[in-house]
């Protein structure tokens, strides 16, 4: 299980010619690390009960997303391994298509989860600890990169199957959330 790797084991596995985990799982990990980095901006307490309630709700959801991304990392590894085995065993085209569509699901889920995290990150960027705002800025950038890299992963697999994927919508949404968060950070840094 990828989640059980030490950092040195992860690096060792990643540099192998037959890398396991591959890019899709690593992108999910990067998105997950970004979400947890964003949580460093959280405060121990907020000045009003209303802000405290909003913080607790958003923190709970970010932790749920983080946990789901842990699962998605492994799903990516497992589904890619199944697809590679089908190619190795010279499976028929229909089986390859089915397994390819299955392999597209984890990067698609990474996109959806990370976009949701980007959407709710504004609260922590606006109200969180100013001394950790640079962590929020790095988290925002890493989340954007996780979405964009997942798009690449889907596009590569999509060439071999019919898959309805609105790339432009995702890119526009990601850029809008990213830019909004950058403006919040700039406002806090004045």
């Amino acid at each position: 299980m990828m989640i059980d790797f030490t950092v040195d084991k992860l690096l060792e596995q990643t540099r192998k010619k037959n890398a396991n985990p591959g890019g899709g799982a690593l992108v999910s990990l990067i998105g997950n690390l970004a979400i947890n980095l964003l949580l460093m901006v959280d405060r121990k307490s907020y000045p009003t009960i209303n802000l405290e309630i909003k913080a607790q709700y958003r923190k709970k959801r970010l932790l749920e997303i983080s946990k789901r991304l842990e699962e998605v990392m492994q799903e990516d590894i497992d589904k890619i391994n199944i697809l590679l085995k089908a190619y190795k065993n010279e499976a028929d085209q229909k089986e390859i298509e089915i397994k390819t569509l299955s392999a597209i699901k984890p990067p698609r889920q990474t996109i959806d989860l990370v976009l949701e995290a980007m959407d709710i990150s504004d609260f922590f960027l606006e109200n969180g600890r100013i001394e950790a705002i640079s962590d929020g800025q790095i988290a925002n950038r890493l989340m954007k990169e996780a979405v964009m890299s997942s798009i690449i992963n889907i596009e590569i697999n999509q060439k071999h199957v019919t898959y309805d994927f609105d790339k432009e919508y995702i890119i526009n949404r990601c850029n809008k959330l990213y830019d909004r968060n950058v403006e919040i950070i700039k406002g806090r840094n004045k």
Side-chain angles (χ1 to χ4, degrees):
M1 298 288 287
M2 182 177 162
I3 194 67
D4 297 325
F5 285 179
T6 59
V7 173
D8 61 333
K9 177 71 171 176
L10 178 63
L11 293 172
E12 176 189 327
Q13 289 295 112
T14 303
R15 78 174 65 99
K16 289 183 176 181
K17 285 183 177 36
N18 57 343
N20 194 0
L26 292 174
V27 168
S28 296
L29 173 62
I30 290 165
N32 200 347
L33 288 170
I35 290 165
N36 283 279
L37 188 59
L38 173 68
L39 286 169
M40 289 179 67
V41 183
D42 190 19
R43 295 176 182 261
K44 288 185 180 178
S45 64
Y46 289 84
T48 69
I49 191 69
N50 189 33
L51 287 176
E52 188 68 41
I53 291 167
K54 287 179 181 180
Q56 291 308 313
Y57 168 77
R58 285 167 177 77
K59 182 177 180 178
K60 179 179 183 262
R61 183 61 192 139
L62 288 174
L63 291 172
E64 291 168 353
I65 292 170
S66 173
K67 185 64 179 164
R68 180 65 189 124
L69 282 169
E70 287 178 20
E71 298 164 354
V72 171
M73 292 184 311
Q74 190 61 46
E75 289 170 15
D76 185 81
I77 293 167
D78 296 343
K79 290 177 186 233
I80 289 296
N81 285 339
I82 290 168
L83 176 60
L84 293 175
K85 186 176 180 180
Y87 275 114
K88 184 179 177 183
N89 293 338
E90 298 179 8
D92 66 29
Q93 187 59 35
K94 184 65 176 168
E95 185 177 348
I96 296 289
E97 287 178 18
I98 290 168
K99 292 186 177 1
T100 301
L101 286 169
S102 182
I104 288 173
K105 288 180 183 177
R108 179 59 213 215
Q109 182 121 88
T110 296
I111 289 170
D112 293 341
L113 291 166
V114 173
L115 284 174
E116 183 182 351
M118 288 178 80
D119 191 28
I120 63 176
S121 65
D122 62 336
F123 176 84
F124 295 106
L125 297 172
E126 288 174 353
N127 301 291
R129 297 181 310 126
I130 188 65
E131 62 272 18
I133 200 68
S134 63
D135 294 312
Q137 188 167 7
I138 293 165
N140 190 44
R141 182 64 188 199
L142 289 175
M143 285 187 284
K144 178 180 180 178
E145 293 306 323
V147 170
M148 297 302 182
S149 296
S150 291
I151 289 170
I152 293 167
N153 199 321
I154 290 171
E155 283 184 317
I156 289 168
N157 286 314
Q158 185 185 17
K159 290 177 183 177
H160 307 289
V161 296
T162 302
Y163 180 73
D164 188 24
F165 177 61
D166 192 347
K167 174 183 164 182
E168 293 307 314
Y169 170 79
I170 292 168
I171 290 172
N172 288 336
R173 182 164 181 234
C174 182
N175 285 333
K176 283 179 184 174
L177 291 169
Y178 175 79
D179 292 344
R180 178 204 66 188
N181 289 344
V182 165
E183 289 304 311
I184 292 168
I185 294 164
K186 283 180 183 175
R188 294 285 308 273
N189 281 328
K190 287 183 179 180

